[in-house]
Amino acid sequence: MRNNRILLSGAALAAAFLASCQSTKPTASTKQPVLMTLGNQEVPASEFAYVYRKNNSSAPDAGSRENVQEYLDLYTNFKLKVLEAEQRGLDTTQAFKRELDGYKQQLAQPYLTEKSVTDQLVREAYEHMQKEVNASHILVRITPEADPKDTLAAYQRITALRQRVTGGEDFEKVAREASEDPSARENGGRLGYFTALQMVYPFEAAAYKTPVGQVSQPVRTRFGYHVIKVNDMRPAQGEIKVAHLMIRATPGMPKADSVTAKKKVDELYSRLRKGENWEKLVAQFSEDAGSASGGGELPPFGTGRMIPSFEEAAFRLQKSGDLSAPVQTPYGWHIIRLIEKQSVPSFEQMEASLKQKVARDSRSELNRTAFLKRIRTENRFTEVPAMRDALLAQADTSVTKGTLKADAFMNRVAASQPAKGKKSTALMPTAPLFTIGAKPYTIKDLLTFAEQRQQPRAGATPQHAMQLLYDQYVDQSLQDYERANLETKYEDYRMLVKEYRDGILLFQLMDEKVWSKAIEDTVGLKQYFAANQAKYQWEPRVQATLISAATPQLRSQAVTYFSKPTGKGIAEASMPTDQGIPATVAFNAKSATLTAAGMSALESLANQMLADTTLSITATAYAKTNAAIPLAAQRATQVRTFLTSKGVPAKRVLAGQQLGGKEASTAAAVNGVFLRGSTRNPAIIEQRLNRSNPLAVQIQQRAFPKGDSKVVDGVPQQPGTYNVQQDGRYYAVIIDKVLPAGPKSLNEARGQATSDYQNYLEQEWIKELRTKYPVKVNEAEVNKLVTK
């Protein structure tokens, strides 16, 4: 632990702080050496030694005076916070107890398993992964808890079917006729190729053991009995490593954006097919930020680990450097480039992930069986067979119907007990069925369990249904007993539970005293920011527009949009016309009244101007004679009035009139107003210029600090327009102004300032705790950990 403070974002992270900090309350009944006292609270030296060694064993300076002291300081601060939480009773709340219990259930899982069996299953799964099996099957359904007579009938039926196919009948024909797998009617029982962990374990194990062309013996899974015919076995495909170039296109996006994305990816695919550099195009255009800077490379993957359409296209590639045509997934369009195909990774590389998969797989039932067998012995499980058999004999139809009531069952049993003095097994509620350790588990306990867990079991006998409930109760009782005694059996588990306990307490108090307080205490944050203004400063920057274009002509065209007008008009004749606005607004002849079409055109224009706050309009009305000038002026003014009434700022609409001119030679000119627009919205300008080529122009407009863009860094850092050619693209850098170094506002530095304020609050809080709970350290115990 090298940080000078503890940062926690949850109970689990809190536990990870020292992977270790224990409760301040010693658990041993005998007096232990004391490391230190916090107020009146003693901290055992053994606890600190345990967590120190656990968390510093691999540190280069472990055992040095500096390392021990640094860790002791962190540990002391941690213990002070936990002590304060305990003093405030945070460990007594129901919320705390529920959360801790949830973590205990999770932490117990590694101790409620059989490691040796897990290791064997993991190794076997890896061996199976070296091959892929193509198989067919025939299924006779039977539930895992079926009555023995039904199980026998199913077994006899599957055996008869096996005899038919081994006797010469076509496997697919028999599967279509007799298999109880509904898909067999269509596929004749064919399952295609599969590998380890894709089928239930008994099925997988039998398939891998059966020679190609042969039919297995009957195999039982949770679905029923199967016979399996192995059609083929081939080496596994392994993993594949690819790179991709992605253009985002998500479900539900506007159709126009979806079309644009498809045009972009098609254009890129065409350019790649012509030999353009992959890395350059990925860096410039791929919208997968996580991979674009690395040539689009993705981690290796195998079957079933990617979106199917992506995976299928990738595995079809044969040679390094091959490209796929654009492939669509829910994330967008991808062009995939094969880097290499890899065989199945080594066992060491896959071991950790295989353990997780095996734990979730049906293989885990073998582990559970072995685990239960072990703890039966360790915890001295002892049955009372006579009592068990007598209870099973009393089972009635309430058990098979799922309507058993514990009290009613016992009352019925009591009424049927033999007369006093006759030799029999007395079924009393408190009579033990078995013991675990020294703890008895009674008939009443079982019946209570059965009442809660029962379910209808059509076709089963009452005795079989009760036997199933009894077996479930035995297994559950063994697991519960083991779980309840983990802290006495395993020191590592006990210490880990303490870590999480203290982590939960610490999280609650840290949130109150530091994290939420820093966010909610706006006055305190402002005061802290003002007192530490020197820490929050801008480096010199430039406010600029960066244009990247495919050709010099496109660059010049884009730059024109950002040129400043030279006359009084808002949009000069030299400015590009925004092709999204109407060319003419129609008025009624000889009046200043808009036609219906003219009204509709202006309504649409107003909406466009409200959406694009950079769009400016010049409205020009022509007059053939001096007498027509007033009417032309009224029409131009009407356009201005209409747009401003819809919320468009007046400074973005210039109305005027003009006498004569070639434009006034048509009837439309006499009865209308010409519109000319200019926008500086980068997204709209891109859209206009990219109609024929989706990659023609890209525009960024923001403040650029040094190091943010190589192109911007390479031009003079002063206002002006600069042209640059780099990597086959033509750039224009339009610097509007230089933003000098200077203080940031609180809003600009809020994230960093809030974090620093939290740190400040924590340090102040620790000072208060050290005053409230004076710390006295037993240096002799600390010195025992100093080894160099």
Side-chain angles (χ1 to χ4, degrees):
M1 182 75 176
R2 308 304 301 170
N3 297 326
N4 60 3
R5 63 190 180 111
I6 306 167
L7 292 177
L8 301 172
S9 61
L13 291 181
F17 149 59
L18 298 173
S20 60
C21 301
Q22 313 308 318
S23 167
T24 56
K25 298 174 182 177
T27 57
S29 58
T30 57
K31 183 67 174 177
Q32 299 184 48
V34 174
L35 173 75
M36 60 183 168
T37 58
L38 310 177
N40 296 323
Q41 188 69 266
E42 294 182 346
V43 179
S46 59
E47 289 186 6
F48 178 70
Y50 179 92
V51 297
Y52 175 78
R53 293 187 178 112
K54 180 179 177 181
N55 293 286
N56 290 272
S57 59
S58 60
D61 58 346
S64 68
R65 167 65 65 180
E66 293 77 10
N67 181 261
V68 172
Q69 187 60 51
E70 179 186 18
Y71 199 80
L72 178 62
D73 290 341
L74 291 169
Y75 181 78
T76 302
N77 292 341
F78 182 80
K79 301 295 282 186
L80 285 166
K81 296 171 187 174
V82 173
L83 175 58
E84 176 70 2
E86 291 172 344
Q87 295 298 315
R88 294 177 57 171
L90 297 183
D91 57 343
T92 64
T93 67
Q94 288 302 312
F96 166 81
K97 292 176 180 178
R98 282 194 302 270
E99 186 172 359
L100 179 58
D101 186 63
Y103 282 116
K104 287 176 71 174
Q105 298 300 319
Q106 297 176 36
L107 296 172
Q109 293 309 308
Y111 296 88
L112 302 176
T113 187
E114 202 65 20
K115 184 179 183 301
S116 62
V117 175
T118 297
D119 292 344
Q120 292 172 15
L121 292 171
V122 168
R123 176 62 71 175
E124 181 190 57
Y126 180 76
E127 291 171 356
H128 285 180
M129 291 181 73
Q130 308 307 306
K131 296 179 180 180
E132 296 174 348
V133 178
N134 185 302
S136 303
H137 82 132
I138 297 171
L139 169 67
V140 173
R141 291 191 176 276
I142 189 73
T143 63
E145 298 178 346
D147 193 90
K149 68 178 189 303
D150 297 327
T151 301
L152 178 60
Y155 180 79
Q156 291 172 339
R157 176 167 164 72
I158 197 69
T159 300
L161 291 171
R162 182 179 185 277
Q163 289 173 349
R164 287 176 61 182
V165 297
T166 57
E169 285 195 58
D170 181 70
F171 193 96
E172 287 193 22
K173 174 177 174 294
V174 176
R176 292 180 196 277
E177 292 176 358
S179 179
E180 295 176 12
D181 178 352
S183 66
R185 306 291 179 273
E186 300 295 329
N187 60 27
R190 284 189 168 271
L191 299 170
Y193 282 95
F194 58 87
T195 188
L197 300 163
Q198 294 180 347
M199 298 289 183
V200 289
Y201 176 67
F203 191 101
E204 174 196 317
Y208 272 88
K209 290 176 182 176
T210 303
V212 173
Q214 299 297 309
V215 177
S216 73
Q217 293 294 329
V219 180
R220 187 169 184 179
T221 72
R222 66 174 182 265
F223 303 106
Y225 280 109
H226 313 251
V227 288
I228 306 166
K229 181 182 179 183
V230 175
N231 304 311
D232 187 30
M233 191 173 292
R234 70 184 183 191
Q237 288 190 104
E239 293 191 327
I240 190 171
K241 186 174 179 62
V242 302
H244 78 140
L245 188 159
M246 185 181 83
I247 301 299
R248 291 197 178 278
T250 55
M253 71 187 306
K255 184 177 180 181
D257 294 339
S258 180
V259 171
T260 298
K262 184 62 167 66
K263 287 181 179 179
K264 282 186 178 182
V265 78
D266 287 342
E267 172 67 16
L268 285 164
Y269 182 60
S270 175
R271 289 170 62 171
L272 287 166
R273 290 286 301 274
K274 292 176 183 177
E276 288 201 38
N277 182 269
W278 169 269
E279 285 76 13
K280 183 179 74 174
L281 291 182
V282 169
Q284 290 177 347
F285 299 109
S286 181
E287 295 175 6
D288 177 8
S291 68
S293 61
E297 287 193 17
L298 298 173
F301 61 89
T303 302
R305 286 163 55 190
M306 296 292 277
I307 298 294
S309 57
F310 188 100
E311 179 183 301
E312 291 168 9
F315 272 104
R316 281 197 297 267
L317 301 174
Q318 297 298 315
K319 296 181 297 182
S320 179
D322 281 358
L323 296 174
S324 75
V327 179
Q328 190 172 23
T329 74
Y331 302 102
W333 289 95
H334 312 256
I335 301 170
I336 307 170
R337 181 171 183 259
L338 177 61
I339 298 175
E340 63 176 339
K341 289 187 175 181
Q342 303 172 337
S343 59
V344 177
S346 70
F347 178 76
E348 290 71 25
Q349 291 173 308
M350 297 195 69
E351 185 176 12
S353 63
L354 280 177
K355 283 184 177 179
Q356 294 178 356
K357 292 177 181 178
V358 164
R360 298 191 297 266
D361 185 61
S362 53
R363 288 168 165 78
S364 61
E365 186 59 31
L366 295 179
N367 188 300
R368 180 173 179 271
T369 300
F371 167 72
L372 289 170
K373 181 179 179 181
R374 174 173 63 83
I375 63 175
R376 275 175 178 248
T377 301
E378 288 183 359
N379 296 323
R380 305 187 308 281
F381 172 81
T382 305
E383 274 188 303
V384 183
M387 198 65 66
R388 177 201 61 200
D389 294 344
L391 177 67
L392 295 179
Q394 291 291 335
D396 63 3
T397 56
S398 67
V399 184
T400 56
K401 293 177 180 177
T403 60
L404 179 145
K405 298 294 182 183
D407 291 341
F409 186 96
M410 285 307 305
N411 290 337
R412 180 178 62 79
V413 169
S416 66
Q417 293 295 297
K420 189 174 182 181
K422 290 191 176 182
K423 188 175 181 181
S424 66
T425 301
L427 293 177
M428 302 299 293
T430 57
L433 289 166
F434 56 85
T435 59
I436 304 177
K439 181 179 179 181
Y441 292 79
T442 67
I443 291 176
K444 182 179 180 181
D445 296 332
L446 169 61
L447 293 175
T448 301
F449 173 87
E451 185 175 333
Q452 295 171 348
R453 301 295 185 89
Q454 65 186 329
Q455 60 186 41
R457 300 181 187 276
T461 64
Q463 289 71 32
H464 179 63
M466 183 62 86
Q467 179 71 59
L468 291 173
L469 288 167
Y470 174 82
D471 292 341
Q472 290 176 19
Y473 181 58
V474 169
D475 291 349
Q476 186 65 55
S477 299
L478 283 164
Q479 291 182 80
D480 291 346
Y481 185 89
E482 182 73 3
R483 183 181 286 106
N485 288 276
L486 286 177
E487 292 190 43
T488 60
K489 290 182 70 171
Y490 301 104
E491 181 185 21
D492 286 346
Y493 175 77
R494 180 172 67 255
M495 301 293 270
L496 197 57
V497 168
K498 288 184 178 180
E499 293 172 20
Y500 275 75
R501 171 197 178 273
D502 291 355
I504 297 169
L505 290 176
L506 184 58
F507 176 80
Q508 294 180 24
L509 205 51
M510 284 288 287
D511 187 57
E512 174 190 333
K513 302 291 289 186
V514 178
W515 300 323
S516 293
K517 182 176 181 180
I519 296 171
E520 296 166 1
D521 181 13
T522 55
V523 173
L525 177 60
K526 289 178 181 178
Q527 292 173 344
Y528 176 83
F529 180 77
N532 295 273
Q533 180 70 70
K535 294 169 59 177
Y536 310 106
Q537 300 289 318
W538 283 117
E539 296 292 331
R541 298 162 295 149
V542 292
Q543 185 69 40
T545 301
L546 175 60
I547 299 170
S548 169
T551 66
Q553 294 77 16
L554 283 167
R555 176 177 63 187
S556 297
Q557 191 175 354
V559 168
T560 306
Y561 278 93
F562 298 98
S563 300
K564 294 182 178 179
T566 56
K568 294 181 180 180
I570 293 177
E572 297 298 318
S574 62
M575 299 291 286
T577 298
D578 187 324
Q579 299 177 39
I581 68 170
T584 306
V585 178
F587 283 76
N588 292 309
K590 300 181 180 179
S591 77
T593 305
L594 285 160
T595 64
M599 184 78 72
S600 176
L602 281 183
E603 190 78 42
S604 176
L605 177 59
N607 291 333
Q608 185 177 349
M609 294 184 76
L610 292 173
D612 179 4
T613 58
T614 71
L615 178 58
S616 300
I617 295 296
T618 294
T620 303
Y622 291 91
K624 284 189 175 182
T625 65
N626 287 337
I629 289 177
L631 180 60
Q634 290 179 45
R635 289 172 173 171
T637 301
Q638 177 73 352
V639 169
R640 177 188 179 92
T641 301
F642 184 94
L643 292 174
T644 54
S645 71
K646 297 295 182 180
V648 177
K651 65 181 181 180
R652 291 169 50 204
V653 185
L654 181 66
Q657 74 284 336
Q658 182 173 328
L659 181 63
K662 62 181 180 179
E663 291 90 347
S665 61
T666 65
V670 174
N671 296 326
V673 173
F674 283 92
L675 301 179
R676 192 169 185 82
S678 173
T679 182
R680 295 192 174 203
N681 185 308
I684 293 176
I685 297 170
E686 278 189 4
Q687 186 179 18
R688 298 280 183 265
L689 298 179
N690 289 345
R691 280 200 170 97
S692 60
N693 179 352
L695 307 176
V697 175
Q698 292 174 302
I699 304 172
Q700 300 179 58
Q701 197 171 59
R702 55 186 171 85
F704 290 84
K706 187 172 180 60
D708 199 40
S709 167
K710 291 181 179 179
V711 175
V712 176
D713 288 348
V715 304
Q717 303 295 287
Q718 56 188 5
T721 300
Y722 308 95
N723 291 333
V724 178
Q725 183 179 354
Q726 184 174 302
D727 296 329
R729 297 285 288 185
Y730 298 87
Y731 295 91
V733 181
I734 306 171
I735 297 179
D736 295 322
K737 58 183 176 180
V738 176
L739 303 173
K744 294 180 181 180
S745 68
L746 177 55
N747 281 339
E748 292 171 327
R750 185 171 296 277
Q752 181 186 353
T754 301
S755 177
D756 292 343
Y757 186 47
Q758 288 174 338
N759 186 49
Y760 167 78
L761 289 173
E762 183 179 1
Q763 297 307 316
E764 292 299 303
W765 180 38
I766 289 172
K767 291 178 183 177
E768 294 175 8
L769 292 176
R770 284 180 175 265
T771 300
K772 184 176 182 180
Y773 308 109
V775 178
K776 296 180 181 179
V777 177
N778 183 348
E779 294 294 342
E781 290 297 326
V782 175
N783 290 339
K784 292 178 181 180
L785 294 171
V786 178
T787 58
K788 60 181 178 182

